[in-house]
Amino acid sequence: MPDRWSDVDEGELDAHMLVSTGHLPADTDVQALLEEGHARYRSLGDGVVADYIPALACASPEWFGAAIVGTRGGVFQVGDARHEFSIQSVSKPFVFALVVDSLGADEARRRLGVNSTGLPFNSVMAIELGDDRTINPMVNAGAIATTSLVPGDTADDKWRFVLRGLSRFAGRALAIDDEVYASEMSSNRRNQGIAHLLDSYDRMYFDPDAATDVYTRQCSVRVSATDLAVMGATLADGGVNPVTGERVVAASTCRRVLAVLATAGLYEHSGDWLYDVGLPGKSGVSGGIVTIAPGKGAVGTFSPPLDVAGNSVRGQRLTRFLSDRLGLNLFASQPEHERG
Ligand code: GLU
């Protein structure tokens, strides 16, 4: 990082940090609203199932599931909430969190960058345009660089660290989808090219081919909408998994990760998303979206048809509905004299 705020002692600030408060509404209301939102958008026919990774093209456009997990450990589910799919880009915030936790927030920012690009998720131009050739960990270039920084001397060590870390976020032992992994490995020359371009600028911190391989495995990990909600709820709960009670990352890591999600979680529609939903979220090309309401909980959705930016159509609509109706939008307020 350049000299921005370099005189500020971040450790000192962190030690005195207060957080905003509030909880989800009553359990019965949360379940009822989840079901109402699911019924409302179930028959929405817009969007196209991704096919640039051949194995993803087999997904049914009908699949639609969602879950909410609160920081008090409540789990609410509807539709295909337990249907498993490859996590794809929704892995990015969680691997970034593991790296921030092991490197420190400042070092992670210096080596990876944290600003939005305004360009597509697999942009090469974003690398060329950036001053110091860093991007941010939510687009492919920054995500592959992030994976290259995962602790471990070998690709296998790094992969084990990633799988163990994602499993701790989910509160269960996750596994790779071998078919999706093989399919993406046969069609990911662009990601390999991105890794080599970063390497030419000394912004790749491990062998570029091996890092791309581990990144592709990470994207092929099988999860459900319920897993995404538990993983997101861990980021909403200061780094403690509210279902297992295990601390996965530090609270200071969570708020850095959520800040990056707010600017870049939904590709080039991140601004529209924040405008509509008012929460940090991350989408993936197989149709998953995780959305985090700090201190309250998280929403996980799954529905394969995507819009032009690669974000699940039904998932975005349902999450917006839930953000409004559960009172999650971070930017919403009401005049003091009108409050009950
Ligand atoms: N593994 C996919 C890729 O790198 C992830 C893309 C996404 O979910 O946006 O192309």
Side-chain angles (χ1 to χ4, degrees):
M1 262 314 274
D3 57 356
R4 195 179 141 271
W5 294 2
S6 56
D7 53 331
V8 173
D9 178 346
E10 295 211 14
E12 163 72 10
L13 287 181
D14 282 356
H16 296 283
M17 174 112 186
L18 298 180
V19 298
S20 63
T21 53
H23 285 106
L24 291 177
D27 288 1
T28 45
D29 295 345
V30 175
Q31 183 65 40
L33 282 167
L34 185 58
E35 286 170 18
E36 185 185 333
H38 185 268
R40 198 174 168 126
Y41 299 115
R42 193 173 34 211
S43 47
L44 198 67
D46 301 347
V48 178
V49 174
D51 60 3
Y52 80 98
I53 299 171
L56 297 186
C58 314
S60 164
E62 305 298 320
W63 289 334
F64 185 26
I68 298 173
V69 172
T71 50
R72 290 169 165 168
V75 178
F76 311 90
Q77 305 176 89
V78 70
D80 300 313
R82 294 272 178 188
H83 182 99
E84 293 191 6
F85 55 95
S86 57
I87 189 169
Q88 298 299 340
S89 278
V90 185
S91 61
K92 291 170 180 169
F94 301 100
V95 175
F96 177 50
L98 296 169
V99 165
V100 169
D101 225 49
S102 55
L103 246 69
D106 284 339
E107 184 65 3
R109 167 160 58 186
R110 195 180 66 73
R111 298 178 86 168
L112 297 168
V114 293
N115 281 313
S116 58
T117 68
L119 291 165
F121 74 100
N122 58 355
S123 177
V124 171
M125 280 301 291
I127 304 172
E128 296 293 356
L129 291 173
D131 280 353
D132 52 8
R133 314 295 176 186
T134 61
I135 323 289
N136 77 64
M138 297 310 130
V139 296
N140 285 16
I144 300 168
T146 303
T147 301
S148 79
L149 279 176
V150 162
D153 292 336
T154 66
D156 275 349
D157 289 348
K158 287 183 189 291
W159 163 237
R160 273 193 294 273
F161 184 94
V162 166
L163 187 61
R164 196 167 51 239
L166 294 178
S167 298
R168 287 165 67 220
F169 271 112
R172 71 179 185 101
L174 300 176
I176 191 171
D177 185 321
D178 289 316
E179 190 196 337
V180 170
Y181 167 64
S183 178
E184 185 163 352
M185 282 304 280
S186 70
S187 58
N188 70 348
R189 285 185 309 238
R190 188 175 180 92
N191 283 343
Q192 288 166 5
I194 285 172
H196 280 273
L197 181 61
L198 283 176
D199 196 36
S200 75
Y201 289 123
D202 291 326
R203 288 296 182 191
M204 183 55 50
Y205 308 103
F206 195 63
D207 174 75
D209 292 319
T212 309
D213 180 79
V214 178
Y215 164 80
T216 308
R217 286 171 198 263
Q218 141 195 341
C219 289
S220 306
V221 167
R222 294 170 69 90
V223 290
S224 65
T226 303
D227 290 322
L228 294 187
V230 176
M231 297 171 86
T234 304
L235 291 177
D237 192 33
V240 172
N241 182 318
V243 175
T244 63
E246 185 188 0
R247 171 164 295 286
V248 182
V249 290
S252 58
T253 292
C254 295
R255 58 171 200 280
R256 267 51 181 257
V257 172
L258 297 183
V260 179
L261 286 191
T263 66
L266 273 85
Y267 309 117
E268 59 273 39
H269 286 179
S270 299
D272 286 312
W273 168 263
L274 207 56
Y275 200 77
D276 289 332
V277 178
L279 292 167
K282 184 75 201 84
S283 68
V285 79
S286 51
I289 305 181
V290 65
T291 305
I292 297 98
K296 295 179 180 167
V299 179
T301 62
F302 167 59
S303 170
L306 310 177
D307 66 12
V308 286
N311 301 312
S312 167
V313 173
R314 288 193 197 103
Q316 290 179 86
R317 300 289 281 274
L318 175 57
T319 306
R320 183 194 174 157
F321 172 85
L322 292 171
S323 175
D324 287 358
R325 300 292 290 277
L326 293 170
L328 304 179
N329 191 316
L330 292 171
F331 305 112
S333 64
Q334 203 179 12
E336 178 67 38
H337 73 269
E338 287 177 12
R339 292 185 220 171

